[in-house]
Amino acid sequence: MDTPMEERKLFDHVTCNMLASVDEVAVPGALALDLIEQAEVEVERLDQLKASRMKEIAFRKQAELEEIYVHAHIEIDPEAAREKIMTLIDSGNVEPTELLADMDNQISRAKEEALSRKEILDKVEKWMSACEEESWLEDYNRDENRYNASRGAHLNLKRAEKARILVNKIPALVDTLVAKTRAWEEDRGIQFAYDGVPLLAMLDEYAMLRQEREEEKRRMRDQKKFHEQQNTEQDAIFSARPSPARPVGTKKVVGPRANGSANGTPSRRLSLNSNQNGSSSATKGGRRDNRLSAPVNYVSISKDDAASHFSGTDTVSASP
């Protein structure tokens, strides 16, 4: 009880007669009524102090037990356990030594169970850490500015490389966890729960969600590939379509325009002027007109045909 020695000495005259019989008590007034009443009050006080100290010791052991369960991810009801301890101590139906011994046994069993769960819990921690990196990597891949030369960009790039390696190991890690959890449950005949949730159910749910995400990614890739193929086909169609022909009337003719019209056709004034100048200059004028009125984009004719054409014209114009 850790009672100070000064308090113990106050009742030495009483405690010395605890093991003595009535005949052995020889001190006068040792069994006086007022002394007995004082002893009763002291015993009641010590009982209350004992109950208070027992609660402190029991709650300390309960806290140790709860810490073991928390690290082992075993769900318990600490409030109900503490209430049960208080009820047992206040009722006085249990000896303090029995209560403390029972709690020591609970702590020992909890340590054994935590040790049996350690290997699986280590892999669960790795799996959850990999899931966090997987979530971060998805957000990183959706960031369009991830390759910008900003502060910390190279650190994020290194983290992304490590995260991809870790994420690729998740399927094998999940398969190992499932196998070890099933073996543990078959060996102990109980369900392996992680913070109150069956671990196998957690793994099955993750596998389903991961499969759905993979299917969604595959669907997005196929849709993107389909759109790119459509765009490529449309570009090919537009590039193969011929350009509209330029109108003939707007085409500019390059050639001499001094004695011709704007569209390159020889002017008829040249032949009329040559007729008025007489037959002597018909041949020369005809040759000059022929030489001046032949644009570069017209088909050339022979000299004999040209001479016959202009001579016939001179004859017709010379007749009355």
Side-chain angles (χ1 to χ4, degrees), residues 43-188:
V43 169
E44 185 178 355
R45 185 186 73 83
L46 291 176
D47 285 341
Q48 294 177 357
L49 180 62
K50 180 181 178 181
S52 176
R53 295 291 177 83
M54 282 300 301
K55 289 178 182 177
E56 292 179 3
I57 297 172
F59 288 160
R60 195 181 309 127
K61 290 184 177 295
Q62 178 65 24
E64 182 181 356
L65 182 63
E66 291 173 3
E67 185 177 0
I68 295 173
Y69 284 146
V70 167
H71 284 89
H73 294 277
I74 300 174
E75 189 180 36
I76 60 172
D77 189 356
E79 297 297 330
R82 291 173 182 271
E83 186 177 354
K84 181 180 179 181
I85 292 173
M86 292 181 63
T87 302
L88 290 174
I89 294 175
D90 293 339
S91 64
N93 296 330
V94 62
E95 289 294 328
T97 54
E98 294 179 359
L99 177 61
L100 296 180
D102 181 64
M103 297 196 69
D104 288 337
N105 291 333
Q106 292 183 33
I107 292 173
S108 178
R109 290 195 299 269
K111 288 181 177 179
E112 291 178 0
E113 186 173 1
L115 184 62
S116 69
R117 295 163 61 94
K118 185 177 184 304
E119 183 180 3
I120 296 177
L121 291 177
D122 291 342
K123 293 188 178 299
V124 170
E125 294 297 328
K126 293 181 180 179
W127 169 55
M128 290 186 172
S129 177
C131 290
E132 292 179 359
E133 290 298 306
E134 183 182 23
S135 178
W136 177 88
L137 185 61
E138 290 179 356
D139 295 338
Y140 176 78
N141 291 333
R142 285 194 294 266
D143 186 8
E144 297 180 356
N145 300 324
R146 60 184 179 274
Y147 295 123
N148 291 348
S150 59
R151 170 178 258 177
H154 64 288
L155 298 178
N156 290 334
L157 184 59
K158 290 182 180 180
R159 180 180 176 182
E161 294 176 357
K162 294 180 180 180
R164 291 187 183 94
I165 297 174
L166 190 60
V167 168
N168 291 333
K169 297 180 180 179
I170 290 181
L173 183 59
V174 171
D175 293 340
T176 304
L177 262 176
V178 170
K180 288 187 175 296
T181 303
R182 287 177 178 171
W184 188 93
E185 291 181 349
E186 292 176 359
D187 184 33
R188 294 185 170 262

Side-chain angles (χ1 to χ4, degrees), residues 268-318:
R268 294 183 178 179
R269 294 180 181 179
L270 182 62
S271 59
L272 294 175
N273 292 334
S274 60
N275 294 333
Q276 292 177 358
N277 291 334
S279 60
S280 59
S281 60
T283 304
K284 294 181 180 180
R287 291 176 182 176
R288 186 165 51 249
D289 291 343
N290 185 27
R291 187 168 55 251
L292 294 176
S293 61
V296 295
N297 57 343
Y298 277 76
V299 180
S300 61
I301 58 177
S302 61
K303 294 181 179 181
D304 297 336
D305 294 339
S308 61
H309 171 72
F310 281 105
S311 62
T313 305
D314 294 343
T315 307
V316 172
S317 58

Side-chain angles (χ1 to χ4, degrees), residues 31 73 235 251 290:
L31 298 178
H73 294 277
D235 293 342
K251 185 176 180 181
N290 185 27

